[in-house]
Amino acid sequence: MKYIPKPLVETADISRGKTSLKSFLQSAVSVVLVLAALYFVLGLLGELLARTLPDRWERKLSRALPIASPSGTNDLQHVQTILAKLTADSSLRQLDYQLFLLELDAPNAVAVPGGGIGLTPELLASVRSETGLAFVIAHELGHHQHRHILRGLGRRLILGLAADRKSVV
């Protein structure tokens, strides 16, 4: 077989990688779809992790987190009785439900892993009725019951590990 070189004019543009707009858009859409599917699958993995995590593990997790310890001040004494009434139901998850003061300058409440419920002094000052406080606490208990905190943490943990792994490679 004899080698016949082609003139440079015919092969000069091959290495430039000229692509059509259609080809570029197909590639861009493919990359976006693959990343979206990866995000979705990793998110589902985080959700599955959160849904299957036993309550005793969540209690241990809460002890390892740097969260404010329960407050023994008089600010929470009247709220503590409301929490005790609401958590008397045996159908709730078996967590260590406890209140703590959350030092923020706005009325707010948060649920943290393991059964913690943080209330701001501004919330306690603005919601004076027992019914209103019970509503706020029940709302936070609902986050615990439906594992909203763990599901969010699980999704962020899995996605964070995946993102960190990509930066190492």
Side-chain angles (χ1 to χ4, degrees):
M1 180 157 130
K2 184 177 178 188
Y3 173 70
I4 302 173
K6 294 183 181 178
L8 188 57
V9 187
E10 295 178 20
T11 61
D13 286 343
I14 291 177
S15 63
R16 285 190 186 171
K18 286 186 178 179
T19 58
S20 66
L21 180 61
K22 180 182 176 183
S23 176
F24 172 76
L25 289 176
Q26 285 175 336
S27 297
V29 167
S30 297
V31 167
V32 168
L33 288 176
V34 166
L35 290 175
L38 187 62
Y39 176 81
F40 182 73
V41 168
L42 290 175
L44 285 178
L45 183 61
E47 294 261 342
L48 179 65
L49 174 70
R51 288 182 184 180
T52 58
L53 188 74
D55 290 345
R56 69 180 186 280
W57 288 14
E58 185 177 349
R59 288 192 301 267
K60 288 180 183 178
L61 172 68
S62 72
R63 292 183 199 117
L65 294 174
I67 299 170
S69 60
S71 176
T73 65
N74 292 333
D75 294 339
L76 295 177
Q77 293 302 327
H78 68 288
V79 186
Q80 198 69 32
T81 58
I82 298 170
L83 178 66
K85 290 176 187 176
L86 291 172
T87 56
D89 184 0
S90 63
S91 67
L92 288 176
R93 293 179 55 216
Q94 299 302 308
L95 299 175
D96 300 328
Y97 297 107
Q98 56 189 346
L99 297 171
F100 63 92
L101 279 177
L102 186 63
E103 296 300 327
L104 291 176
D105 293 334
N108 204 352
V110 297
V112 295
I117 298 174
L119 305 171
T120 64
E122 286 75 14
L123 177 84
L124 296 173
S126 62
V127 180
R128 298 175 193 262
S129 71
E130 185 174 321
T131 304
L133 289 172
F135 178 82
V136 171
I137 295 170
H139 176 88
E140 299 307 321
L141 288 173
H143 286 306
H144 285 296
Q145 189 68 15
H146 296 286
R147 298 176 181 258
H148 292 161
I149 305 107
L150 284 181
R151 289 168 60 191
L153 282 175
R155 181 177 282 266
R156 284 189 294 276
L157 176 67
I158 295 294
L159 292 173
L161 288 174
D164 189 41
R165 183 64 72 187
K166 287 179 186 174
S167 67
V168 172
V169 174

